[in-house]
Amino acid sequence: MEDSAHSKRSVTVADVAKAAKVSKATAARVLGGYGVVSAKITDQVMAAAAALEYRPNELARSMSTGRSGIIGVVVGDIENAFFSLAVRGISDAARLAGFNVIIANSGEQLDAEKSAVDLLIGKRVDGLIVTPARCDSVDHLQHVRRAGVPLVLFDRAIPELDVDAVTGDDRDAAITATRYLIGQGHRRLAYVSAMDAEDGGLTDIGRISNSAVRERVEGFVSVLTEAGLPNPLHYIRLGATDQQQTDGVLKRLLADSAAPTALLASDSLVGLRIFKSLQSLGLSIPKDVSMISFLDADWTSVTVPPITIVDQRVYEMGKLAGERLIARIERAPLAVERLRVSTSLVVRGSVAAIGR
C-alpha cells in the first residue's frame, strides 16, 4: 500500500482560493503579504489556508516578491553565551517582523566567515548580521554591500565599511571595571583574552584586529596610565583560546616575580577557564587573586564566590541589531550609525580590597 504521507498532494494557492471563494490573485496577495486586501477577505483566506494546512512555497514567494523572508547571521562562537543570547535577540526581532533566521558559526576564523557569507548570499538572504572575525580584512563584506544586501555589524565596528554596527560601550566598560579594581587597592592588574597571539603578550594595541577587544584593552590601559602605574601592557595576555592554553597563560602570569593580584577576563568563556585554572592551582578567589569577567553568564552567579561581572545586555544588543537590519531591508531613511548599548558593573564577591 502506498504511503499516504508521500502520496498526499501539496496544497496550492489555487486550492486556498477555491476554499476561500476568492480569486487566485487575491489569495496570492494575502498569502504573500503584499498588495491591499480587506480585513474580511484576509481573514477568509487565512482561515482556509489553516484548514487546508497550506505551506508556502518559499522559492516561489521569493521569485514573486523579490524577498526570501530570511536573515543571515554569522557569529563568532556559538558556544559562547554572549552569542547565544545575541541570537535570541536577533531571532525574536526577526520573528516579530515575519522573517526567519539562518545562523552560521565562524569560530572566529576569517576563512570560515567568508565561506558563511558566500553561502548565505547564495541563499538570497534579505540581509546579513555579521560579527567580523577581523576588522582589518573586509573585502568579503564590501562585496556584500556591492551586491546590495543590507548589512549590520554586531559587537564589532568597522568605520571604513560605512554600515550600521551594534556594539557595547566596550572602552567605557573596561574603564569602569578597571577603576573599580584600582579603587579596591589593586596595582598589579592583568587583562586576559582569547584572541590568538604568537607569544601571548602584547606590544602594540593598534595591531589588535578585533575592535571590541582593542577598545577594552585601550580602556584598561588608560586607567592604569591614569593611576601612574608603570608598563601598563606588561600584564595583558592573549591566547586563552581553550582550557589548556588558559592554564598556561595563568601559570606564566602567576609565576611573574610581581604576580598580578587581580584579573579581568575578556568574556565569559575566558572567565570560566580562568576560574577553573585558579581552582586547579589551589588558589582561592578573592583571597589569593581577585577577578572580574565580562558578561553575566549563568555560571558567574552560582560559583563560590559569585563573580563580579560587566553586564553587557546582550539580548538587547541582538534585538537592536535585528531591528536595525529589518529597517534597512524595508529601506527606512536612516543615517549610518554605531549604536552602543550601555553596560554596568555588577559587584559580587570575587574582588577583595587590599592594602595600598
Side-chain angles (χ1 to χ4, degrees):
M1 181 177 174
E2 187 178 354
D3 188 339
S4 60
H6 288 87
S7 62
K8 185 178 179 180
R9 182 176 67 85
S10 296
V11 176
T12 66
V13 173
D15 295 328
V16 174
K18 183 177 180 182
K21 295 182 172 57
V22 298
S23 70
K24 183 179 176 182
T26 297
R29 281 197 293 274
V30 173
L31 298 172
Y34 60 90
V36 179
V37 183
S38 71
K40 179 182 177 182
I41 296 298
T42 297
D43 290 344
Q44 284 179 221
V45 173
M46 295 307 293
L52 294 172
E53 297 182 355
Y54 169 77
R55 296 290 181 272
N57 183 320
E58 297 295 344
L59 177 60
R61 184 169 70 177
S62 173
M63 292 175 65
S64 64
T65 65
R67 290 187 183 175
S68 63
I70 298 171
I71 288 172
V73 180
V74 183
V75 297
D77 183 1
I78 200 66
E79 181 187 2
N80 191 324
F82 176 89
F83 291 113
S84 300
L85 282 169
V87 166
R88 279 179 53 190
I90 292 169
S91 298
D92 285 352
R95 187 180 66 253
L96 286 172
F99 288 85
N100 293 310
V101 176
I102 297 178
I103 302 163
N105 185 49
S106 73
E108 299 288 8
Q109 299 299 312
L110 182 60
D111 287 344
E113 178 186 313
K114 290 178 178 179
S115 296
V117 167
D118 286 344
L119 175 67
L120 292 168
I121 293 296
K123 289 189 174 296
R124 303 177 66 85
V125 294
D126 294 327
L128 278 174
I129 296 174
V130 177
T131 299
R134 298 185 63 92
C135 296
D136 57 359
S137 184
V138 298
D139 286 349
H140 61 300
L141 299 178
Q142 291 284 21
H143 173 70
V144 172
R145 294 195 66 228
R146 288 193 295 269
V149 177
L151 171 66
V152 171
L153 302 183
F154 181 77
D155 185 47
R156 298 153 201 179
I158 306 175
E160 310 88 81
L161 272 180
D162 194 33
V163 298
D164 297 313
V166 177
T167 72
D169 57 351
D170 293 298
R171 193 175 191 278
D172 289 346
I175 286 173
T176 299
T178 310
R179 279 182 178 159
Y180 177 72
L181 291 172
I182 294 287
Q184 295 301 303
H186 294 274
R187 293 297 180 268
R188 300 193 302 276
L189 286 67
Y191 182 94
V192 183
S193 170
M195 272 201 64
D196 287 329
E198 291 182 5
D199 58 3
L202 179 68
T203 57
D204 181 3
I205 296 175
R207 295 183 62 184
I208 299 176
S209 63
N210 179 318
S211 69
V213 173
R214 183 176 64 248
E215 290 173 15
R216 290 176 194 176
V217 169
E218 286 173 348
F220 176 79
V221 168
S222 73
V223 175
L224 300 190
T225 302
E226 173 187 278
L229 301 179
N231 196 6
L233 298 183
H234 178 68
Y235 294 114
I236 295 174
R237 293 292 185 272
L238 310 180
T241 52
D242 57 30
Q243 192 61 54
Q244 182 179 358
Q245 294 297 320
T246 305
D247 289 345
V249 167
L250 264 291
K251 285 178 182 176
R252 290 189 292 274
L253 265 175
L254 297 173
D256 193 290
S257 58
T261 61
L263 307 169
L264 179 56
S266 62
D267 64 54
S268 65
L269 275 182
V270 171
L272 181 56
R273 291 170 191 147
I274 288 174
F275 184 86
K276 290 178 177 179
S277 291
L278 294 175
Q279 277 192 323
S280 69
L281 292 170
L283 296 176
S284 172
I285 301 171
K287 179 181 177 182
D288 298 314
V289 185
S290 293
M291 73 171 287
I292 295 177
S293 178
F294 272 76
L295 188 65
D296 190 14
D298 289 343
W299 71 268
T300 62
S301 62
V302 298
T303 55
V304 179
I307 305 299
T308 294
I309 56 94
V310 176
D311 186 3
Q312 295 177 271
R313 296 173 56 204
V314 185
Y315 176 86
E316 289 86 347
M317 288 173 63
K319 190 167 182 288
L320 182 57
E323 290 169 348
R324 192 68 173 193
L325 182 63
I326 291 161
R328 290 299 180 195
I329 293 169
E330 302 293 348
R331 301 185 183 278
L334 299 169
V336 172
E337 289 184 86
R338 176 175 176 177
L339 305 169
R340 288 180 175 87
V341 176
S342 64
T343 58
S344 59
L345 187 69
V346 179
V347 176
R348 293 171 179 158
S350 62
V351 176
I354 62 175
R356 309 235 171 171

